[in-house]
Amino acid sequence: MPADPRAVLTRPAPEPDRTVAYGDHPDQIADLRLPAGSGPARPLVVVVHGGFWRAEYDRRHTGPMAAALAALGHPVAQLEYRRTGQPGGGWPNTFTDVLTGVAELPRLAAAAMPGRVSAAAPILVGHSAGGHLALYVAGTAPATVDGVLALAPVADLGEAYRRDLDSGAVAALLGGGPAEFPERYATADPRSLVPVQTRSVVVHGALDRQVPVAMSRSFVAEARAVGTDITLVELAECEHFGLIDPESAAWPVIVDVLQSLHDDQQPIDAASPTR
């Protein structure tokens, strides 16, 4: 494990190849990265960044991850969206931005990177709050996405509110708690959206101090019980940020799981050893 796992958040990355807009707001944009090599067109990988939905965290901290995925031959889009702490952020615009972006980006990316993006629905890779948003898209608009890789997702908004994750992050996102806005929690919480029709894999580090791994264990168990094609891969020696760090010991697992989704194979078996 790196001496400072958070170092990936500020590590320099190559500039994106293109930036496209999926709406009129300055944050309704995505950075695109061309896949390395000259292979056939592949499905777009849409990276949805975390940061507890807050304005101080944007798509740029996923630059190292996105560049590494592009180097492996994936066309990549780093999705931006309105966040709490800025005008228009939070409910409902954070959610509608992500739904719109995911729906529009395959077309926009195919036009910006001719011959490199296939017509297939994209695969979403979301980290932390971005993992929540990826699961939300899969549960709300499953036809727009072909697979989800949720990395340490905030998969239970009610529990995250009760635990006061990141000092009120969920209340800031939804305007208050479940007792005040039950309809918002019912609409936005992945636990309320199962069974999900999209193939999904959740990867979570057992040493995570930002988003407790117990949240993913509970969510995946409940989702599987009602028929969702979802698997949990728990990494015994990983914390929160190693999941998006190409220099971490966890990175080969992330690459393998993403490839399994691309290959349209059954994701890693739930009985496989915890790493």
Side-chain angles (χ1 to χ4, degrees):
M1 185 184 303
D4 180 8
R6 291 177 178 267
V8 68
L9 301 180
T10 54
R11 185 181 304 149
E15 289 297 310
D17 296 294
R18 308 277 193 280
T19 298
V20 296
Y22 63 87
D24 296 330
H25 191 276
D27 281 316
Q28 292 174 326
I29 59 175
D31 290 337
L32 304 181
R33 295 182 185 270
L34 282 160
S38 56
R42 303 185 70 180
L44 185 67
V45 174
V46 178
V47 175
V48 188
H49 72 82
F52 282 106
W53 312 279
R54 298 190 188 276
E56 55 262 40
Y57 300 99
D58 63 20
R59 69 194 182 285
R60 288 175 292 186
H61 77 259
T62 60
M65 177 188 199
L69 293 177
L72 293 172
H74 301 286
V76 180
Q78 292 168 256
L79 176 68
E80 193 57 272
Y81 51 90
R82 284 174 283 184
R83 304 172 304 287
T84 61
Q86 60 184 172
W91 178 269
N93 293 330
T94 293
F95 297 88
T96 56
D97 281 359
V98 175
L99 286 172
T100 301
V102 170
E104 293 294 326
L105 277 174
R107 176 183 62 82
L108 294 170
M113 302 186 288
R116 306 313 307 274
V117 181
S118 76
I123 290 176
L124 301 191
V125 179
H127 177 242
S128 194
H132 156 258
L133 291 169
L135 293 170
Y136 165 78
V137 172
T140 304
T144 65
V145 59
D146 190 52
V148 167
L149 174 50
L151 307 174
V154 185
D156 184 337
L157 294 185
E159 180 66 12
Y161 174 82
R162 287 186 287 272
R163 288 176 179 258
D164 196 29
L165 295 191
D166 203 54
S167 302
V170 178
L173 176 70
L174 294 180
E180 299 167 272
F181 298 105
E183 74 288 348
R184 296 183 183 181
Y185 280 79
T187 299
D189 195 334
R191 285 189 64 177
S192 300
L193 301 175
V194 297
V196 174
Q197 304 305 311
T198 305
R199 296 170 303 127
S200 303
V201 180
V202 174
V203 183
H204 212 128
L207 305 182
D208 196 321
R209 295 186 177 182
Q210 279 70 36
V211 180
V213 67
M215 194 176 295
S216 284
R217 292 172 183 159
S218 176
F219 171 74
V220 170
E222 291 186 16
R224 286 175 65 89
V226 294
T228 300
D229 182 1
I230 189 169
T231 301
L232 173 64
V233 179
E234 188 173 326
L235 304 182
E237 300 299 324
C238 186
E239 43 64 63
H240 191 67
F241 302 100
L243 300 175
I244 61 168
D245 187 350
E247 297 180 9
S248 75
W251 184 248
V253 178
I254 306 305
V255 172
D256 287 348
V257 173
L258 179 60
Q259 190 60 51
S260 78
L261 289 170
H262 262 302
D263 291 343
D264 200 21
Q265 298 171 344
Q266 184 72 18
I268 292 174
D269 190 87
S272 62
T274 299
R275 310 185 191 200

